[in-house]
Amino acid sequence: MKHHDIAIVGLGIVGASAAYAAARAGARVVALDAGVAGEGTSGTSFAWLNSVRKEPEAYHRLNANGMAAHRELARELGAAAGHHEGGSLEWATGDEPERELSARVARLAGRGYPAAFLPRERVSAMEPALIVPDDVREVAFYAADGWLDAPRLIRALLAAASVRGADVRERAPVRSLRVRERRVQTVVADGGEAIAGSVLICVGASTHEFLSPLGVSIPVGRVPGLLAVTSPPAQALRRVVHAPGIHLRPDAGGGLVLGADDVDAPAAEARSASTLDELAALLLERAGCVMPAVRGVKVVDRRVGVRPMPADRHTIAGRIPGLDNAWVIATHSGVTLGPLLGRLLSDEILGGVSHATLAPFRPERFAAARD
Ligand SMILES: Cc1cc2nc3c(=O)[nH]c(=O)nc-3n(C[C@H](O)[C@H](O)[C@H](O)COP(=O)(O)OP(=O)(O)OC[C@H]3O[C@@H](n4cnc5c(N)ncnc54)[C@H](O)[C@@H]3O)c2cc1C
């Protein structure tokens, strides 16, 4: 059996990024997914590339570096990187939300993140399809933000990794890791075992159940969210928009992607397809209030995606406690962070380096909290 340098389990944005980085570094890579790469959470994500509400500062910096990693990939892979620039817009209504937004814009600008208020006339010129309510005088603009066609990037990363010799296996669920004396010896998957010097687990929302049989507890919860995709509106939207009660962005198919924070909990509890249809119709109605062209479109798809959510909401990336050659990445905001985390962990695993920026995000912090 061929001996690989690294086995990567799970090919969403995180695992596909790691596979690309490792293959690019010259490693012999085997990369496995239980289903079709990119059809997990990464395929049902709002996919806003940003570091706007990421606290504390170390987490903000990590996400800002994640955005830079996307720009690098876009230079390397061109349009296949699925990277859409243009910034994002946000406004608030009501005293407390307005105060919070002002404070946040000032804090972000103070950290060097492109964040500023624009007068509403300027916003109307940038986004003629939007109606900003009359009582909103200023709109926050985050010029470096964007959105990602994540399935497209995942396909491009795996194609580029394959060209460099990576053995990419889809519909190959990994059933177990065979461990001997703190080392993973083989990865046992449907369709054949794989032998590798190191193993990187990138199974997203399945992290906890995947690692539990090894006696390892990495606390990653599952937080569902609803997204509705529309048919193309008569007037296009150019960038990501966060308005009170609705967020929307352009989609790769020419339509819009809609979501709202307060709709996620009822969507998670929905017991029938018709309840989800009603919630999607609610998103459409709200979107129509800020973008009149939405009134002429239909919902063509609505899906519930499951966010991998670490217990303290921050990235988990590093060697798995108790194992010498196995590593894990599990994170929310994985669309923003995937290419960066994949590259950093590939570096650490293959090159034996330790990246200081990851120090606050190691899996050990949960073990330490239990002591
Ligand atoms: C509604 C919603 C909105 C979001 N909005 C944003 C946003 O605006 N910006 C942002 O950055 N992030 C956002 N996120 C979060 C982001 O989408 C996720 O953090 C990211 O997609 C996680 O990527 P992943 O590669 O870790 O997981 P996934 O994409 O789920 O990939 C994991 C893969 O592991 C595979 N797998 C599982 N078990 C096994 C096994 N036993 N063997 C082999 N393979 C296995 C699965 O098949 C899957 O393909 C959002 C998420 C949701 C649901």
Side-chain angles (χ1 to χ4, degrees), residues 255-307:
L256 301 166
V257 179
L258 315 177
D261 295 343
D262 65 324
V263 166
D264 286 349
E269 285 157 19
R271 291 287 165 267
S272 69
S274 63
T275 307
L276 291 179
D277 290 340
E278 283 163 24
L279 293 169
L282 175 66
L283 294 176
L284 197 63
E285 186 189 317
R286 290 185 187 176
C289 297
V290 294
M291 185 173 162
V294 167
R295 293 184 188 134
V297 307
K298 290 194 176 66
V299 172
V300 294
D301 190 12
R302 50 113 186 99
R303 267 185 281 162
V304 175
V306 181
R307 299 174 180 90

Side-chain angles (χ1 to χ4, degrees), residues 63-94:
N63 280 270
N65 291 342
M67 294 162 69
H70 274 284
R71 288 191 288 271
E72 271 172 49
L73 272 184
R75 282 193 290 275
E76 270 168 46
L77 301 174
H83 186 245
H84 296 261
E85 295 186 310
S88 78
L89 295 166
E90 179 184 7
W91 68 87
T93 48

Side-chain angles (χ1 to χ4, degrees), residues 1 16-17 24 52 79 82 104 111 131 134 138 153 155 162 172 181 196 198 211 258 270 280 282-283 308 318 321 333:
M1 198 183 305
S17 298
R24 199 171 180 272
V52 164
R104 181 150 43 84
R111 287 172 179 169
I131 301 281
D134 290 344
E138 290 188 315
L153 175 59
R155 283 194 300 275
S162 298
E181 290 169 6
S198 300
L211 290 173
L258 315 177
L282 175 66
L283 294 176
S333 298

Side-chain angles (χ1 to χ4, degrees), residues 10 12-14 33-34 41-42 45-48 174 305 307 331 333-336:
I13 185 69
V14 173
D33 196 276
T41 306
S42 302
S45 176
F46 191 65
W48 173 30
V174 172
R307 299 174 180 90
T331 191
S333 298
V335 171
T336 303

Side-chain angles (χ1 to χ4, degrees), residues 302-348:
R302 50 113 186 99
R303 267 185 281 162
V304 175
V306 181
R307 299 174 180 90
M309 191 61 78
D312 59 5
R313 306 181 76 82
H314 296 142
T315 300
I316 300 171
R319 200 192 302 259
I320 297 173
L323 295 172
D324 292 340
N325 67 336
W327 308 68
V328 64
I329 305 175
T331 191
H332 180 46
S333 298
V335 171
T336 303
L337 289 166
L340 175 73
L341 295 175
R343 194 181 69 205
L344 294 182
L345 269 260
S346 161
D347 260 18
E348 292 199 338

